[in-house]
Amino acid sequence: IGWTAASSWLCVRVFSGIDGMDTLAIVLAACVCAIFCSDLLSGVVHWAFDRYGNEKIPVLGPGFIKPFRDHHTDPQGICGHSFVETNGNACIACTPLLVVGLLLDPSAHLFWASLCFGTSIGVFMTNQFHSWAHEPSPPRVAVLLQRSGLILNPAHHDQHHSGSFDSNYCITNGWMNPLME
């Protein structure tokens, strides 16, 4: 509920800052950058939780590290989760972005507030895109987005699961994997 309220509030603040083509262009540019930021953040977090810490670390262990590592032993397990179970922890991860975005004055910092909002949405949806990359029959819209390269496609993500899990960490769309490598 908190993530929804904060996201909605930031969305209203950002879109109320659009008063012409120039400010619309700023918001659109921030949204494009947010796609890259979401993917990079997903890769950094995925890499860190695959490599460091353990399940006993308070909060991070059971809520974040354990699911990443369990996923390696049961890649299809993510497909059986509800929407909330799949994406709930991402709400927690997005909180700092939303706080920063809400602290910014969109009239003076429209790009940065929009970037925080767009990145938050991208991070929130990352586990859903990841789940669809494992589903044998994802929704039609997911297949279209996968084929277009806008979200993570199964062939790209399979590279992470073939071998020692030491590449292709970015799970929003995989665009930032060359940088992560």
Side-chain angles (χ1 to χ4, degrees):
I1 294 172
W3 180 87
T4 303
S7 293
S8 299
W9 184 17
L10 184 54
C11 179
V12 167
R13 292 186 70 209
V14 163
F15 285 97
S16 67
I18 299 173
D19 61 5
M21 293 304 290
D22 56 335
T23 51
L24 176 61
I26 291 169
V27 170
L28 291 175
C31 288
V32 169
C33 291
I35 294 169
F36 289 93
C37 289
S38 302
D39 197 45
L40 183 60
L41 281 172
S42 77
V44 169
V45 168
H46 189 177
W47 169 80
F49 290 159
D50 273 6
R51 298 284 173 227
Y52 300 104
N54 62 53
E55 299 171 7
K56 295 177 183 169
I57 295 173
V59 182
L60 289 179
F64 295 92
I65 295 171
K66 184 179 187 321
F68 273 96
R69 296 191 182 163
D70 285 351
H71 178 66
H72 289 163
T73 58
D74 182 15
Q76 296 304 109
I78 194 172
C79 301
H81 299 309
S82 69
F83 183 84
V84 172
E85 188 176 0
T86 300
N87 303 296
N89 284 344
C91 293
I92 297 166
C94 293
T95 300
L97 286 168
L98 293 172
V99 168
V100 169
L102 288 167
L103 291 174
L104 294 170
D105 176 7
S107 65
H109 304 285
L110 185 59
F111 177 84
W112 297 109
S114 301
L115 182 66
C116 288
F117 173 71
T119 303
S120 174
I121 297 297
V123 168
F124 172 70
M125 290 302 297
T126 290
N127 280 339
Q128 189 62 56
F129 301 157
H130 181 205
S131 176
W132 286 337
H134 285 282
E135 295 225 8
S137 299
R140 187 173 290 167
V141 67
V143 172
L144 292 171
L145 291 170
Q146 288 169 339
R147 287 181 183 158
S148 72
L150 291 176
I151 67 172
L152 186 65
N153 73 58
H156 184 84
H157 186 55
D158 284 346
Q159 295 172 32
H160 178 72
H161 286 275
S162 60
S164 58
F165 309 103
D166 61 357
S167 68
N168 289 55
Y169 290 104
C170 299
I171 54 174
T172 304
N173 54 35
W175 295 354
M176 298 302 286
N177 276 319
L179 182 63
M180 284 291 298
E181 300 303 317

